[in-house]
Amino acid sequence: MQVQAGGKLYLAGEYAVLVPGQSAIIKNIPIYMTASVKVAPEIVIQSDMFDYQAGLEPDRHYAIIQQTILHFADFLQKRAADLPAFSLAISGKMERQGVKFGIGSSGSVVILTIKALAAFYHLDLSADTVFKLAAYTLLKKGDNGSMGDVACIAYDDLVYFTSFDRQQVKSWIKNESLQSVLQKDWGYCIEPIKSALNVDFLVGWTKEAALSSEMIRLVQGAINPYFLTRTQEQVQELKRAFLKGDKTKVKEALTAVSRLLQDLHPAIYSDKLLLLKQAAHGLDAAAKSSGSGGGDCGLALSFSPEATKILSERWQAAGIELLLLEHVRTNDESKR
Ligand code: PMV
Ligand code: MG
């Protein structure tokens, strides 16, 4: 059995969404990791990130996959040892020559593992249950993110995500059973956005890795009420503009959230990300950093073939690699 999980990139609302009740718009990235799962005499896990395989004995590299498996067993109200055993092989690392793309690796791996086990045990899990199980694993392990990434990856769609009180959920995780935590209303909202835009979506890779957890620690103290209010306004504007297919408003909102991020903290826009953004000047397009910034990927929305071409050329000249060019078309079911 084979399943897949893709990546994600923040279009708007990054950093603000760390505060419960704030919203972000996050785009699914059709670059997929694949998991193959089959019956085996005992549990074996193998990822193409590492040159060895593991079982369930503690292993630093496989810890996140192992935790996901243990929580999945708990979800089935069984011990992992009492479940039919499997061999799980994961491939499609989201990196090149050891430098990650920054499109969602840990969230993608957790979701991929959950989907693989659901397929193996013949469970039809909703995207919402997959999200909650993944967020449970990440929060329990101490992830300091908003979980917007897993919301997007679980739905594999463009989503509007409103964040929840993670401290509250963490205290439930500490004191209550997994079943009882999953049954509760966490207070988040995940809404897939049906975009009415015909647009080229470009992902530019800076080839400089940035760690989200460290960027969050660095920037968190700068988050202020002005930034939160203005960002929330622009996220709503962007959502409305996507739904209406209003490209002018889309460009305005992306430019506004980008400015807010640039003013929030100097670490967000690295030199490469500044070049990535400037490449859209004078074109029918808008470009910005994505997520925690400091490196990884930035993105652009382009509204004409000429703009797409010039933008890609400018990126190339700046040493930014065009990792993905997706022609998002409203009349094309596949959107690819
Ligand atoms: O850099 P990324 O793609 O992991 O995005 C991080 C987005 C933040 O808002 C800064 C953190 C979060 O988890 O919401
Ligand atoms: Mg990042």
Side-chain angles (χ1 to χ4, degrees):
M1 267 172 265
Q2 280 203 346
V3 297
Q4 291 192 308
K8 61 88 208 22
L9 278 182
Y10 274 82
L11 291 185
E14 52 269 76
Y15 286 109
V17 74
L18 287 166
V19 175
Q22 290 273 148
S23 307
I25 294 177
I26 314 154
K27 167 88 176 74
N28 60 311
I29 302 297
I31 294 176
Y32 291 95
M33 300 179 82
T34 302
S36 305
V37 59
K38 58 176 191 231
V39 179
E42 56 187 35
I43 295 181
V44 180
I45 334 165
Q46 165 80 66
S47 156
D48 67 349
M49 296 278 285
F50 318 115
D51 56 9
Y52 67 98
Q53 56 187 38
L56 286 183
E57 70 289 353
D59 181 283
R60 191 163 60 92
H61 291 125
Y62 282 103
I64 185 86
I65 300 172
Q66 293 172 329
Q67 283 310 314
T68 309
I69 293 172
L70 292 172
H71 292 150
F72 200 93
D74 191 359
F75 174 66
L76 299 177
Q77 299 185 292
K78 293 262 166 45
R79 292 179 335 127
D82 296 337
L83 283 166
F86 54 83
S87 129
L88 174 68
I90 291 178
S91 64
K93 49 185 175 182
M94 293 168 164
E95 57 157 68
R96 198 171 297 152
Q97 282 153 9
V99 186
K100 69 168 180 105
F101 299 149
I103 58 169
S105 8
S106 62
S108 301
V109 167
V110 171
I111 292 201
L112 185 64
T113 304
I114 292 169
K115 282 188 172 179
L117 297 189
F120 186 72
Y121 295 119
H122 305 289
L123 290 174
D124 191 13
L125 300 184
S126 67
D128 188 63
T129 301
V130 172
F131 165 72
K132 271 184 152 174
L133 257 174
Y136 181 98
T137 296
L138 289 164
L139 288 173
K140 189 156 179 173
K141 140 183 179 295
D143 190 292
N144 65 354
S146 65
M147 304 297 128
D149 55 348
V150 271
C152 178
I153 298 164
Y155 279 72
D156 197 20
D157 207 344
L158 176 67
V159 298
Y160 176 82
F161 172 71
T162 304
S163 62
F164 57 98
D165 184 344
R166 299 185 300 286
Q167 291 316 320
Q168 171 69 264
V169 173
K170 276 187 197 170
S171 82
W172 290 336
I173 290 175
K174 225 166 133 188
N175 301 312
E176 300 183 31
S177 71
L178 181 140
Q179 280 74 23
S180 123
V181 176
L182 291 190
Q183 269 159 24
K184 288 182 196 290
D185 178 2
W186 294 8
Y188 60 81
C189 160
I190 306 170
E191 222 182 288
I193 299 176
K194 278 241 167 303
S195 167
L197 280 182
N198 283 325
V199 66
D200 282 353
F201 176 70
L202 293 87
V203 176
W205 182 37
T206 63
K207 296 177 229 168
E208 294 164 347
L211 261 188
S212 299
S213 54
E214 279 172 20
M215 289 294 293
I216 291 171
R217 274 191 282 276
L218 187 66
V219 173
Q220 206 154 32
I223 296 173
N224 59 74
Y226 174 82
F227 171 76
L228 294 177
T229 312
R230 289 297 318 280
T231 301
Q232 186 68 15
E233 281 166 13
Q234 294 303 325
V235 168
Q236 314 271 21
E237 283 291 328
L238 184 62
K239 180 185 172 201
R240 271 196 291 273
F242 267 122
L243 292 172
K244 287 204 310 212
D246 184 339
K247 74 165 182 179
T248 308
K249 283 273 163 54
V250 165
K251 286 189 284 184
E252 278 171 12
L254 284 178
T255 307
V257 285
S258 170
R259 184 76 248 167
L260 286 161
L261 287 167
Q262 231 170 317
D263 293 343
L264 181 68
H265 199 287
I268 298 174
Y269 268 92
S270 63
D271 293 346
K272 272 260 184 92
L273 285 172
L274 282 173
L275 291 171
L276 178 144
K277 175 180 174 163
Q278 283 157 10
H281 277 181
L283 302 177
D284 193 3
K288 68 181 278 294
S289 66
S290 173
S292 47
D296 287 347
C297 288
L299 57 92
L301 294 187
S302 160
F303 297 93
S304 81
E306 302 77 58
T308 299
K309 183 167 174 286
I310 297 170
L311 194 63
S312 325
E313 287 165 0
R314 290 179 183 169
W315 279 2
Q316 193 177 12
I320 295 158
E321 183 177 324
L322 181 66
L323 195 63
L324 174 77
L325 167 56
E326 186 184 355
H327 304 287
V328 184
R329 298 291 177 266
T330 54
N331 54 359
D332 174 1
E333 285 289 83
S334 75
K335 284 188 170 186
R336 308 268 190 275

